[in-house]
Amino acid sequence: VLEGLRSAGEAWIVGGWVRESLSGRHGKDMDIATTLLPGEVKQLFPRSLMVGEKYGTVMVRLDEEISEEVWEVTTLRSEGSYGDGRRPDEVIFGQSIEEDLGRRDFTINAMAIDSDGSLIDPFGGRSDLDDGVLRAVGVAGERLGEDGLRIMRAYRFLDSTDGMRSMEGSLRSAVRDNLGMLDVVSRER
């Protein structure tokens, strides 16, 4: 999938797979960020499912019928406000991996691996991962105020095998200040 995407544009491994690999574990799900637009991804991989095209997300399936593996591929983007407290009102597709990483929730999720296998880590996620500290990307209150699910994700990381032992102070304060955001998260979650 990476090879196919890189034949027409740029692509990086992002998110949890990067975090887990740096922790010595092998992630099962590999998310990929690309400069290609959703339609361009679909042209490369015709069996793809356009599950989140509005947000730039395509579930890539290979043409081989014996393989039912799926890769989540998302176009690099920046986001506008989050009017509903869960999803951005506006998505602007982009070309900068650093800008895309800057919209993410926590530093440990704001890392990427490029085509050379090098780590891109503009927010110090590797150091936070090593130190066991959960820290927001940018201003913690803004990150949590965008999406109520991020509060739940913060506690999931503290209760996981990822080695997160503490929340950085401004993130802890932002959780307290944004508890009302949990009201916009579905009850099922």
Side-chain angles (χ1 to χ4, degrees):
V1 172
L2 283 167
E3 185 177 303
L5 293 168
R6 289 173 178 157
S7 73
E10 293 182 80
W12 300 263
I13 302 169
V14 295
W17 193 92
V18 176
R19 181 187 67 247
E20 290 183 18
S21 293
L22 292 172
S23 296
R25 293 186 303 279
H26 297 289
K28 296 177 185 125
D29 297 322
M30 180 183 290
D31 294 338
I32 300 169
T34 184
T35 55
L36 300 176
L37 296 173
E40 295 171 314
V41 174
K42 176 78 170 173
Q43 284 180 331
L44 288 171
F45 303 101
R47 290 189 66 226
S48 296
L49 305 173
M50 306 301 277
V51 295
E53 184 175 8
K54 175 182 175 182
Y55 301 103
T57 302
V58 177
M59 300 305 288
V60 170
R61 297 185 307 170
L62 298 178
D63 289 327
E64 305 156 5
E65 292 197 29
I66 57 170
S67 174
E68 287 304 317
E69 291 183 289
V70 177
W71 289 265
E72 186 173 300
V73 175
T74 303
T75 302
L76 297 178
R77 66 185 192 218
S78 59
E79 301 169 341
S81 62
Y82 284 66
D84 68 356
R86 276 291 297 125
R87 290 171 196 79
D89 297 325
E90 179 184 23
V91 170
I92 301 159
F93 296 133
Q95 296 290 307
S96 166
I97 185 65
E98 289 81 7
E99 186 175 318
D100 184 83
L101 295 174
R103 71 174 176 78
R104 296 174 185 263
D105 53 5
F106 306 114
T107 61
I108 62 170
N109 291 331
M111 298 181 283
I113 296 175
D114 68 13
S115 60
D116 295 325
S118 298
L119 181 67
I120 300 170
D121 183 14
F123 303 101
R126 174 79 186 256
S127 176
D128 288 342
L129 190 62
D130 291 343
D131 295 341
V133 176
L134 189 62
R135 183 183 321 271
V137 171
V139 178
E142 290 176 12
R143 285 288 90 84
L144 296 184
E146 292 167 345
D147 183 350
L149 189 57
R150 290 177 174 169
I151 294 171
M152 296 176 72
R153 286 175 52 88
Y155 283 103
R156 189 190 85 200
F157 282 118
L158 289 174
D159 189 42
S160 72
T161 58
D162 285 317
M164 296 292 101
R165 295 181 299 277
S166 66
M167 259 189 237
E168 179 270 332
S170 66
L171 179 58
R172 192 171 32 259
S173 294
V175 166
R176 276 194 305 271
D177 294 345
N178 285 283
L179 284 175
M181 291 296 295
L182 290 173
D183 292 336
V184 299
V185 176
S186 69
R187 293 290 173 210
E188 293 79 21
R189 297 244 184 200

